[in-house]
Amino acid sequence: MSALFKKGLFLHIVSHDKREWVRAIKELGYFSGLDFVEVWLEEVDLSPGEIAWLKRRLDLYEILIHAPFINLTLVSSHQSINRATVGILKKTIDIGVKLGAKVVTMHAGAFPLFLDQREVRKIFVTNFRPLLNYAKGKIEIAVENISMKKSTQISYPVLLEELEDIRTLIPEINFTLDVGHCVENGDEFDGFLTKNKSRIKNIHLHNAIRKGGAHFGFNQQGDLKLKSFIKLLEDIGYSGFLSLEVLGERDVKESWKMLLKSL
């Protein structure tokens, strides 16, 4: 069976150092069969010239955006922080539109442990709806399930049932499904993926250990079985994007080869 989805890699734009941009884009030439790049755009204060430069350099590929997430949250108990995050994410949407990107993936962030889960969901909806309205007709935006972290702040959304709960309040919402985070969190993803395949615009793919680490390559021992997962995508006719989110140059290259062999 032929795969319907498109396959791609991450490109990190996390500073204003254009030498790093050039080096990272040059590395993309190593990967045969690359359909798209997902630009992790932690740096959003880009000039029109810099955005145009990026677009020219990436014209061989379709483009996705991973929005900034470091120090940001849409579920803070401080509304000023939520408003600042919304502002930064609107900048990200603007850049994505100028780059001709297909999807912007966003993290909701983390909330303080003293907030009730229902209150967290309400805060998220209040802050995410303006982003949906801002992006409407211009670009798709999607929220991602993230890895479980609990201290004075708790990650959100972590479990797939939390994504389902959000959808009851925002029926039109789209998702980026991180299957490595599902494994890491001990969350079964087959049923969610099958049920929501039309709403899942992007999938983040990396190896992981149940209740352990993640974002390492399929050349290492882990609990996500690459061939079985690809077969699942083919069986259900998933036609979105599949983005390899592996860290470490060697692991990325080895995992890409293994991904191509599994198709």
Side-chain angles (χ1 to χ4, degrees), residues 5 38 42 50 52 75 101 104 150 164 173 198-199 224 227 238 247:
F5 56 82
E38 181 164 350
E42 196 63 38
E50 288 170 326
V75 287
V104 178
K150 289 187 176 183
E164 295 278 19
I173 199 166
S198 65
R199 285 289 176 191
L224 182 57
K227 288 185 178 180
Y238 173 69
L247 300 178

Side-chain angles (χ1 to χ4, degrees), residues 13-62:
I13 303 295
V14 297
S15 76
H16 252 113
D17 188 345
K18 195 173 282 187
R19 293 170 299 178
E20 286 298 310
W21 302 5
V22 170
R23 185 198 64 78
I25 292 169
K26 185 177 180 181
E27 279 290 306
L28 296 175
Y30 173 89
F31 299 92
S32 61
L34 186 62
D35 299 317
F36 71 90
V37 292
E38 181 164 350
V39 181
W40 173 25
L41 200 63
E42 196 63 38
E43 174 58 73
V44 296
D45 290 323
L46 303 181
S47 69
E50 288 170 326
I51 296 169
W53 183 92
L54 270 176
K55 187 172 184 179
R56 287 195 304 271
R57 289 299 186 104
L58 297 175
D59 65 356
L60 292 177
Y61 314 105
E62 288 191 73

